Structure formats: C-alpha cells, structure tokens
Amino acid sequence: MTLDPADRAAVAAFVRSEGRAVVATVTAEAAPEAALVGLAALDDGTLIFDAPAHTRKIANLHGHARVAVVVGLCGDVSLQLEGAATLTEGDERQRLGAAYDAQLPGSHALDAGFAVVAVHPDWVRVYDVSSGGADVAEARWRP
C-alpha cells in the first residue's frame, strides 16, 4: 500500500498531485449527480473546490451537505472520500479560496458568482492496484 488512508497530510499531497476529482451530490429528490471539479487540499485533509454559484452541485449542497469524492481517475491508486461539505462565507471563503487558487492558479474561486466549498472527510478508502492485485485500506477520520 503506497498511501495510508489515515495519514491526512499524505492524502492531501495525493489530492494536490491529481488536481481534479469527481464530486457526487444528492438532489432534493434524492437523485445522485456527479461532476468533475478542480480539487485542492489543505494538510489537515480539508478538500476545496469552487463552482459557479448557479450550478446543480451548489444547489444540491443547500439541501444535502454530504458528498462523495473520487480522486485518481486514471492511475493505479485512487481515493474515495465521504464527508460534510460547507459553502464557505466571509473570511473562511477568502482563506480557502486563496488556498485553492494557490494550488490551481487562475481559478475563479474568489470571483463574484462563484462558491468555494470545503469538504471535511470522515471516511477515506485507498484502492491501489500498483502491485498487480487490489490493495484496499480504509480509515475513519475524526474532527
């Protein structure tokens, strides 16, 4: 296993190396929706993405604040994460939007009409086929 799912800093480094992920949300009618997003991470494992405020994923978060995220779409190692998503405001939006833009320069995170979302994972699974077989490991993260 090349990536320990309990190591928040290592998970964050993997997310930063990938730079994008699929985020799944749930509609008011309980239908699933998924979208490819740019994804940044803080060393504590907080995930950050931005999106135009009028998008389905942002509307979905107003009703259901839990998301699922898949990182590592084409390589031998992938992450699955689940957790609570927060639509940030004020100083927190500025701080996380700046962190997002530092990792993904040229983003629109702090532009008017864009939302900055923080995801606080509480479950992480690593799926690793780099050694030929499937190595799977999970961890629960506590706040």
Side-chain angles (χ1 to χ4, degrees), residues 42 44 46 48 88-101 110 116 118 120:
L42 303 180
D44 68 359
T46 300
I48 309 162
T88 62
E89 297 178 346
D91 291 343
E92 187 73 350
R93 181 179 186 276
Q94 291 290 6
R95 182 179 74 82
L96 294 178
Y100 182 87
D101 194 55
L110 295 175
V116 175
H120 304 283

Side-chain angles (χ1 to χ4, degrees), residues 23-58:
V23 172
T25 58
V26 178
T27 70
E29 295 77 28
E33 292 181 345
L36 183 65
V37 299
L39 192 68
L42 303 180
D43 285 341
D44 68 359
T46 300
L47 307 177
I48 309 162
F49 67 91
D50 73 344
H54 67 275
T55 59
R56 297 184 318 168
K57 68 184 124 321
I58 299 304

Side-chain angles (χ1 to χ4, degrees), residues 15 18-23 35-39 47 69-73 79 81:
V15 168
E18 294 291 320
R20 67 180 65 117
V22 173
V23 172
L36 183 65
V37 299
L39 192 68
L47 307 177
V69 180
V70 176
V71 184
L73 308 173
L79 286 175
L81 306 102

Side-chain angles (χ1 to χ4, degrees), residues 76 128-135:
D76 290 340
D128 184 341
V129 295
S130 63
S131 63
D135 290 324

